[in-house]
Amino acid sequence: MSKPRPVADLLARLVAARTQAAMVALLRAEARPPTSKALAAEVKAHVDVLERHLADDRPREAIATTLAMVFMDADHAIACVRRDGVLRASRYGFRGSLIARVAKAALGVRDLLAASPDRIAYLESVEALSRLAGNALVLQQEIEATIRSRRAEVLKTVFVMVNSLFYHGWLNDNEASSLSGHRYSSEEYAEAASLVLRTYASMFPVDGASFAYVDAHAVGKNALVYERLLVAAIRLTKFREAELFIDGLPYRADNAGETVTVSSIDPDVERSIRLGYIQAQNQGMIRFTYLQEADPAVSMRSVIDRGFDDGSFQTLLEILEKPVRRLVLKLPAVPELFEQFFGRDDLFRDELQTMLALDVDNFGTFDELIFPITDRVTSMDIFKVQRYFNFLSCAYQRRLADLEDPAERGELTLTSTLLVIRHADLVEQMRLIFGDEDKSREIISLLTMDIGEPHLDLQYRPFVDAGGYYVIAPHVVAVSNLVRNVIVANRLRAAAIGPRDRMVLAVTEALRSVGFLVRNDFKTKIAGKELELDVVAWRDGSLFLLECKNAYHPVSVHEMRNSWDHIRGARKQLDKRREIFADPANQVAFFQKLNWEVDAPCDVHTGIVIANRVFHGASLNGHPIRQAHELINVLTSGRIVADEDSLSFWIGHDFQTADLIAYLGTTSIATDQLAALDPREWRYSMGYRELAFSSYVLDMAKWDRELRARHGPAIPGGRREDAG
């Protein structure tokens, strides 16, 4: 006897009804079966059915499938569709009208649905954002037309241009028009180049011919062609970001006139994201200043300049006239040279800067930033790869800088600075550095882009396999945060963290240092429930349950979504623990298992502790999200750096338990920081419509004044790592 299939049966009847009005009438006469695991599984299985109908442009079937799913279990159906990004117009050739019809159909029966408000808000957001899909399609068609008309030269030209931006330290103007190339950062240009490559790959095979030619007029009469191409690609990435925001984060889209605005449903979420980026940038600047003052190792550019100035590098590059006029590097394949210059473990200034960028999210010593990434490859190996390509890039660029004729310099920049290396040659170059062919091949594999992936990013996987050759923008390799990008791209974060999470250990030690009873990574069973507790601490009649999430600072909406998913998981865990420990009897049993001689009942405080700064200051269901470095500072110092002074936000001279309670509460320094942010919109032209992101900015002078007003007179001295 076959199992009942209520979703499939309802879907068949809805499709047979033919018109949407008839479908709705059928639903209004339908009895909904009780929820069950079997029903949820069938609803989830129909997500793929809906996706196929959307891909094949079958409106009636897509609407019927959507109605059947949401009628049976709206919350689960919408959650599945949202998680899988099924209602993103970008997945179906930007057919926004079809996506809008599907969303409107579901909204049209909202009175029949057992749907939570956030699910309805999502459908409204899909409908609003679909209004921009046609404009996004125009951008996509513009990109495709340029690629088609310049198929032989577009990829190499775009990659050379982006590589030059990275080498010359491009400074963008945030206040420029969204139609101006001056508006955007080098990272946004790299993302645009990646989108151009992805679009090219959807139209033509990526092979040796794809990078064979360059547009000799790209820095002259055709410059505007490539600026328009890249700016169109950047604006298209903003539309895709908007889709990711409403799919994977607590954001919504609203339409007003010809503008669609994306904003966080809880303003504190967007404030916490902006604050996180501001704080991460500040910590990077602090470390850069420290590096400047320390006057450490020499930079690669200085080495290259010295070599050219004294004549020892003059023969490294020569101009060849055929098949095109270009500079060619003549680096002797001498193992001793590669080992002594590229293979040594002492660091150039450039690598120290990259390590300091990693240090922003670090909870160990500086030396511990040299760590295994895989069984064979370490972070030092990736630094050495960057050193090698930094050398090549700087050598080419210095030779170009010595040319007196700007036209010749521009021509040779286009023909020379993007590296096209045969597979076997790159393996051999890596082998000369590492002395190990297997390691060399693994490193190349970690860095090689899979053209078949739905999302490509030149800064994550900078080696483009073009059929027998690797195409490499050397300065993108040289200056990207390549260690963290390799780890993220290859999903190696757990291996990089290792068996003991340093963030958890650092938080644990900070709590212990100020008199808390504390345990970390504690597994037990209370009230019949298995519990795994990252950090549990007690002091002065207060119990603290902290769930820790150690992820790199996100540099894209996709990474941000992953961080948010981890935080949501922590919220669910803490919801259960808060419920369990609300019962004093469970507290007594818990303290016995910990062998702590403390009395119950205790006040219970929860918190989500994060390694990076994004989402710091927000709260989920009463669980505050706090950044680990700042939490440690609250425990051990209680000071905020303000210019040359240090202000205290402890209640008294020494730390008190009340300081931690206040910090986890709604009137803490973290909430003060969020309140200091001012609203700001970032707008992007999408043809005759606009896409706007509602966000916030920090007025540093205003923030400094508020700090001094709230936290008293200045106290001399300050810490390197603290609030802000």
Side-chain angles (χ1 to χ4, degrees):
M1 185 175 180
S2 62
K3 295 181 180 179
R5 299 178 62 216
V7 180
D9 293 342
L10 176 60
L11 174 57
R13 287 183 284 132
L14 288 171
V15 171
R18 304 196 66 79
T19 69
Q20 189 172 327
M23 293 180 194
V24 173
L26 191 157
L27 286 183
R28 293 194 179 281
E30 187 77 12
R32 183 185 294 110
T35 58
S36 66
K37 289 184 178 179
L39 180 63
E42 194 188 1
V43 166
K44 184 177 180 180
H46 276 76
V47 172
D48 291 338
V49 176
L50 173 59
E51 184 175 12
R52 288 196 297 272
H53 290 321
L54 291 171
D56 295 337
D57 197 16
R58 294 194 290 262
R60 181 160 59 95
E61 291 83 354
I63 289 170
T65 305
T66 300
L67 291 177
M69 291 167 62
V70 298
F71 180 80
M72 288 298 179
D73 190 342
D75 274 0
H76 183 57
I78 296 170
C80 290
V81 165
R82 189 175 185 179
R83 183 174 56 249
D84 292 350
V86 172
L87 296 184
R88 294 180 201 162
S90 62
R91 294 177 65 163
Y92 314 105
F94 300 97
R95 290 197 297 271
S97 60
L98 176 56
I99 299 297
R101 288 180 63 185
V102 167
K104 285 180 181 178
L107 289 168
V109 295
R110 72 179 76 187
D111 60 308
L112 300 179
L113 308 181
S116 55
D118 69 298
R119 303 297 200 265
I120 298 299
Y122 169 68
L123 293 174
E124 292 172 338
S125 299
V126 168
E127 182 186 359
L129 195 58
S130 69
R131 294 175 181 270
L132 290 176
N135 305 88
L137 176 59
V138 171
L139 292 176
Q140 178 69 27
Q141 290 170 338
E142 180 183 336
I143 293 166
E144 290 174 355
T146 303
I147 291 172
R148 189 174 292 109
S149 66
R150 299 175 181 274
R151 174 183 176 181
E153 59 200 18
V154 64
L155 287 184
K156 188 170 185 178
T157 304
V158 162
F159 275 46
V160 168
M161 294 173 71
V162 170
N163 188 71
S164 293
L165 292 178
F166 276 81
Y167 177 80
H168 292 291
W170 168 256
L171 295 176
N172 61 307
D173 178 5
N174 287 323
E175 302 302 322
S177 163
S178 67
L179 296 175
S180 168
H182 294 289
R183 167 82 170 267
Y184 304 107
S185 68
S186 54
E187 289 77 15
E188 287 173 307
Y189 273 109
E191 191 172 5
S194 303
L195 179 61
V196 170
L197 173 61
R198 182 73 190 94
T199 306
Y200 182 103
S202 70
M203 301 166 65
F204 310 112
V206 177
D207 53 27
S210 304
F211 291 90
Y213 302 99
V214 70
D215 187 342
H217 302 292
V219 293
K221 65 181 183 180
N222 290 339
L224 187 59
V225 172
Y226 296 99
E227 180 178 343
R228 284 177 59 91
L229 171 65
L230 288 167
V231 168
I234 291 172
R235 287 150 59 211
L236 192 57
T237 65
K238 300 305 176 184
F239 177 81
R240 292 172 179 266
E241 283 182 13
E243 291 183 316
L244 286 171
F245 266 115
I246 67 169
D247 271 352
L249 292 159
Y251 282 68
R252 62 172 296 131
D254 295 283
N255 180 67
E258 301 299 344
T259 300
V260 176
T261 302
V262 176
S263 60
S264 60
I265 295 170
D266 176 359
D268 274 355
V269 170
E270 174 62 20
R271 287 191 184 99
S272 70
I273 290 172
R274 291 312 124 204
L275 178 64
Y277 281 105
I278 292 165
Q279 290 184 331
Q281 185 179 34
N282 288 345
Q283 290 300 327
M285 291 174 64
I286 289 169
R287 285 160 175 78
F288 181 74
T289 301
Y290 172 79
L291 184 65
Q292 296 289 96
E293 293 171 350
D295 192 25
V298 67
S299 71
M300 183 62 75
R301 290 197 195 193
S302 297
V303 170
I304 295 295
D305 285 341
R306 193 161 56 229
F308 273 90
D309 291 341
D310 66 19
S312 57
F313 284 173
Q314 288 294 346
T315 58
L316 273 180
L317 291 123
E318 63 178 341
I319 296 177
L320 297 185
E321 298 295 336
K322 294 182 179 180
V324 294
R325 193 166 189 269
R326 69 199 189 281
L327 285 169
V328 176
L329 184 74
K330 300 293 184 180
L331 188 65
V334 179
E336 291 77 15
L337 170 65
F338 275 76
E339 290 170 9
Q340 291 176 14
F341 195 75
F342 304 118
R344 68 188 195 189
D345 288 343
D346 51 321
L347 299 172
F348 285 83
R349 185 187 188 89
D350 315 72
E351 291 131 33
L352 286 171
Q353 286 182 217
T354 305
M355 285 184 70
L356 286 172
L358 282 175
D359 187 52
V360 171
D361 292 332
N362 184 37
F363 291 87
T365 65
F366 194 71
D367 289 342
E368 288 172 322
L369 291 171
I370 304 301
F371 58 89
I373 294 175
T374 69
D375 290 341
R376 188 183 280 124
V377 179
T378 70
S379 58
M380 176 61 83
D381 295 329
I382 303 300
F383 291 140
K384 291 175 182 178
V385 171
Q386 291 185 275
R387 179 187 305 168
Y388 177 65
F389 286 102
N390 196 12
F391 175 88
L392 299 184
S393 179
C394 291
Y396 275 102
Q397 296 287 350
R398 170 55 198 263
R399 180 69 176 84
L400 289 165
D402 287 344
L403 297 174
E404 295 183 2
D405 183 358
E408 183 183 23
R409 189 184 313 124
E411 175 193 345
L412 289 174
T413 294
L414 288 166
T415 59
S416 308
T417 54
L418 187 70
L419 305 180
V420 181
I421 307 171
R422 290 192 309 169
H423 284 179
D425 290 344
L426 183 59
V427 171
E428 177 60 16
Q429 289 166 23
M430 294 297 102
R431 190 193 64 78
L432 287 169
I433 296 171
F434 299 108
D436 183 333
E437 183 170 331
D438 290 338
K439 173 187 278 194
S440 300
R441 290 185 181 278
E442 182 175 352
I443 289 170
I444 292 170
S445 175
L446 291 172
L447 294 169
T448 298
M449 185 183 291
D450 181 357
I451 298 295
E453 286 289 316
H455 178 73
L456 306 180
D457 196 311
L458 197 57
Q459 289 192 265
Y460 285 72
R461 295 182 184 272
F463 294 2
V464 179
D465 189 343
Y469 293 85
Y470 290 107
V471 178
I472 302 169
H475 222 76
V476 175
V477 177
V479 302
S480 296
N481 194 345
L482 202 56
V483 170
R484 63 90 63 202
N485 289 354
V486 163
I487 290 168
V488 172
N490 293 279
R491 300 178 181 176
L492 296 169
R493 181 62 171 156
I497 290 173
R500 304 192 71 193
D501 191 327
R502 294 190 188 98
M503 182 189 81
V504 172
L505 297 178
V507 171
T508 300
E509 184 52 40
L511 287 161
R512 185 175 289 120
S513 72
V514 291
F516 280 87
L517 292 174
V518 59
R519 288 282 293 274
N520 62 275
D521 300 319
F522 183 66
K523 298 180 181 180
T524 189
K525 188 173 184 178
I526 300 292
K529 304 286 180 65
E530 298 286 346
L531 300 180
E532 294 186 17
L533 301 162
D534 287 344
V535 177
V536 54
W538 179 94
R539 182 178 145 158
D540 297 335
S542 291
L543 177 64
F544 296 86
L545 305 171
L546 304 177
E547 189 65 22
C548 299
K549 297 300 177 185
N550 191 343
Y552 282 130
H553 177 78
V555 296
S556 66
V557 181
H558 179 73
E559 285 190 25
M560 202 184 301
R561 176 182 180 174
N562 290 339
S563 288
W564 183 250
D565 286 344
H566 288 307
I567 290 169
R568 289 175 61 201
R571 182 210 70 195
K572 293 177 182 178
Q573 293 170 314
L574 290 175
D575 283 346
K576 295 175 183 177
R577 291 163 194 174
R578 185 166 56 190
E579 180 181 351
I580 290 170
F581 290 114
D583 185 343
N586 290 336
Q587 292 184 20
V588 170
F590 183 52
F591 293 142
Q592 288 174 346
K593 290 182 182 261
L594 286 163
N595 293 319
W596 289 354
E597 295 182 2
V598 299
D599 295 327
C602 295
D603 294 329
V604 178
H605 305 275
T606 60
I608 301 168
V609 183
I610 54 175
N612 64 64
R613 290 161 174 79
V614 171
F615 300 117
H616 164 70
S619 180
L620 272 182
N621 201 24
H623 307 298
I625 304 168
R626 298 293 183 262
Q627 203 275 332
H629 280 304
E630 186 174 282
L631 171 62
I632 291 167
N633 179 56
V634 167
L635 296 166
T636 59
S637 169
R639 298 192 183 280
I640 316 161
V641 168
D643 294 335
E644 298 301 319
D645 302 319
S646 179
L647 310 176
S648 175
F649 57 87
W650 277 349
I651 296 170
H653 186 268
D654 298 316
F655 171 80
Q656 301 174 34
T657 306
D659 289 312
L660 180 55
I661 294 171
Y663 178 66
L664 296 175
T666 57
T667 58
S668 71
I669 181 66
T671 51
D672 287 347
Q673 291 167 330
L674 296 188
L677 294 164
D678 297 321
R680 169 69 193 263
E681 271 196 347
W682 300 101
R683 290 175 170 262
Y684 300 91
S685 172
M686 304 290 289
Y688 66 90
R689 291 193 172 105
E690 275 195 320
L691 173 62
F693 292 90
S694 180
S695 190
Y696 298 87
V697 293
L698 180 64
D699 182 331
M700 296 300 293
K702 171 185 168 184
W703 172 230
D704 184 71
R705 288 194 303 270
E706 291 181 359
L707 278 179
R708 296 180 188 282
R710 292 174 188 169
H711 300 288
I715 300 172
R719 289 170 55 85
R720 175 183 151 198
E721 177 81 59
D722 43 38

